[in-house]
Amino acid sequence: MITSEIPSIEDTHSLIPEVDRLPGRCAPYFISSGEGLRYDLGGQLVTVIARPEDTGGQFGAAYVYGGKGVETPFVAHDREHTFLYVLEGRIQLWLPRETQVLIPGDSATIPAGTPYAYRMTAHANKFLSWTTAGDGHAMAQGTATQSHVFTGTSSPLRDSELADQFGIRYADLEKVDRPALTGKALPHHATPFVVKAGEGERWKSSGQLNTYLARSRNTAGTYFAVHTRGAKSPYIPRHFHRAHTENFFCTEGRILLHVNGQEILLTKGDFVHAPAGTVHSFAFDGNSTQMLGILTTGIFEKFFEYMNTPTDDNVHDELNPGSFPESGFARARAELDLVVVGPPPARR
């Protein structure tokens, strides 16, 4: 596995984020929708937006696009945990003990060594694929394409010469339709599971609804995933983290991110990687904005509990958002990996 040297906190403070290119080193960067390194794999367009060399070896990420009928055999990633988040279309997913049909907003958490397979059943499909070691997407490399759309021509994915090199193995399992077992609650240990859109552990405050899609107990502490839905909001105080990375995906609406003094506007499909040491802040710039956050490792997980209260609601409260939870933020500063460096940035 190729990794890059992790810069010091002080060096990271001074890095201007790269735009629409993978930096090839551990650094903050922004990738707009459709950009990244694009490869054709079995009739799918795999758009790589993060590699181990871009993230200090912590993870890799790609958007996977494909048409109706694209199908994979059962594969297992022996060295890395996998997280899938559906953005468009309909995906039939097979896990060892269940079969699920995933639609936009649904997610799947798949521990290392767990076989899974999928079939795309809509005419246009897209999902985010996140892997903790970042090697899994390297199987696509060598089939680079300039296209931003999938070819629509499916080819077999089995017997790739790269599989063994990247810790991927094929499992000879039969694709039998089995009843769905998961879809609402998160399990208490590392096991494969699905969270359906609107389900998961939900917490609300300050006009936002935060939903855990995967917790660190499900990923051996390697990451956790949170979906946030909310109305327009002010920036939060500028801060950085010494020991964990934040990753922001805009799935709907508009997000403003201050990254080492640079303001970046995210719209649907855009991505920002903020490694440890990046001074940042964010604000929602559109109503009914939605954001997927994936944080590595799991050490900052309690932040969302300190800042919010449990809820069974499925949407945020736009008309009665309440005030910024100062006491929860103070507790996070005292107990978690949170270093505040200044007040919120001024809105433009």
Side-chain angles (χ1 to χ4, degrees):
M1 179 178 69
I2 300 174
T3 61
S4 59
E5 181 179 349
I6 298 177
S8 69
I9 297 296
E10 292 73 21
D11 287 344
T12 303
H13 286 342
S14 65
L15 295 175
I16 296 174
E18 301 273 5
V19 176
D20 282 345
R21 64 182 296 272
L22 299 182
R25 58 175 179 157
C26 185
Y29 66 94
F30 164 71
I31 296 289
S32 57
S33 179
E35 298 307 316
L37 302 177
R38 299 184 298 281
Y39 304 94
D40 181 82
L41 179 66
Q44 301 170 96
L45 176 68
V46 179
T47 300
V48 176
I49 59 173
R51 306 164 299 176
E53 55 264 44
D54 308 311
T55 67
Q58 290 192 82
F59 67 89
Y63 288 122
V64 181
Y65 307 77
K68 189 174 185 178
V70 169
E71 185 171 338
T72 71
F74 274 96
V75 296
H77 301 266
D78 287 336
R79 298 195 294 260
E80 52 193 4
H81 298 259
T82 301
F83 178 76
L84 308 178
Y85 185 88
V86 177
L87 294 153
E88 181 181 354
R90 189 170 57 250
I91 310 292
Q92 185 172 11
L93 175 72
W94 286 273
L95 295 171
R97 297 189 300 120
E98 66 177 310
T99 306
Q100 293 265 13
V101 175
L102 308 185
I103 61 174
D106 294 351
S107 63
T109 298
I110 305 170
T114 302
Y116 69 97
Y118 63 83
R119 175 191 295 138
M120 296 182 173
T121 62
H123 289 292
N125 306 273
K126 177 184 178 182
F127 65 85
L128 171 70
S129 172
W130 172 281
T131 58
T132 55
D135 285 341
H137 306 120
M139 277 189 63
Q141 297 180 25
T143 54
T145 178
Q146 297 300 308
S147 177
H148 290 81
V149 296
F150 55 88
T151 63
T153 302
S154 180
S155 60
L157 295 178
R158 187 178 286 274
D159 299 328
S160 169
E161 295 179 358
L162 295 175
D164 289 341
Q165 179 181 349
F166 296 109
I168 298 170
R169 59 182 172 82
Y170 295 102
D172 291 322
L173 300 177
E174 185 180 1
K175 292 176 181 173
V176 177
D177 288 345
R178 303 181 186 277
L181 298 177
T182 61
K184 293 186 178 181
L186 274 62
H188 294 285
H189 57 288
T191 187
F193 67 94
V194 165
V195 174
K196 305 298 287 185
E199 303 296 343
E201 298 179 9
R202 302 187 295 283
W203 302 68
K204 69 175 181 179
S205 179
S206 299
Q208 295 182 349
L209 180 73
N210 295 282
T211 304
Y212 288 104
L213 303 181
R215 304 199 61 153
S216 58
R217 66 177 186 254
N218 308 129
T219 69
T222 55
Y223 73 91
F224 68 98
V226 175
H227 176 272
T228 301
R229 178 193 296 268
K232 286 185 178 180
S233 66
Y235 274 113
I236 64 174
R238 291 180 295 124
H239 62 280
F240 70 90
H241 312 292
R242 294 188 179 278
H244 79 271
T245 292
E246 286 197 74
N247 303 281
F248 303 85
F249 300 84
C250 181
T251 61
E252 198 70 49
R254 296 160 56 93
I255 302 168
L256 288 173
L257 266 168
H258 244 260
V259 182
N260 284 351
Q262 307 291 310
E263 187 173 65
I264 300 172
L265 173 65
L266 278 69
T267 58
K268 188 173 183 177
D270 296 347
F271 163 67
V272 163
H273 170 58
T278 305
V279 177
H280 62 283
S281 175
F282 78 90
F284 281 4
D285 195 46
N287 292 312
S288 296
T289 291
Q290 297 183 48
M291 177 175 73
L292 175 65
I294 304 181
L295 292 81
T296 58
T297 57
I299 62 175
F300 202 59
E301 184 178 308
K302 288 287 186 181
F303 176 80
F304 296 91
E305 297 176 31
Y306 293 174
M307 297 288 287
N308 298 269
T309 56
T311 182
D312 291 327
D313 292 348
N314 294 106
V315 295
H316 59 285
D317 189 343
E318 181 180 9
L319 299 180
N320 300 287
S323 59
F324 184 76
E326 297 286 355
S327 61
F329 195 73
R331 185 180 181 189
R333 291 183 67 178
E335 298 181 15
L336 302 178
D337 179 26
L338 175 63
V339 182
V340 175
V341 297
R347 289 292 295 264
R348 62 184 182 185

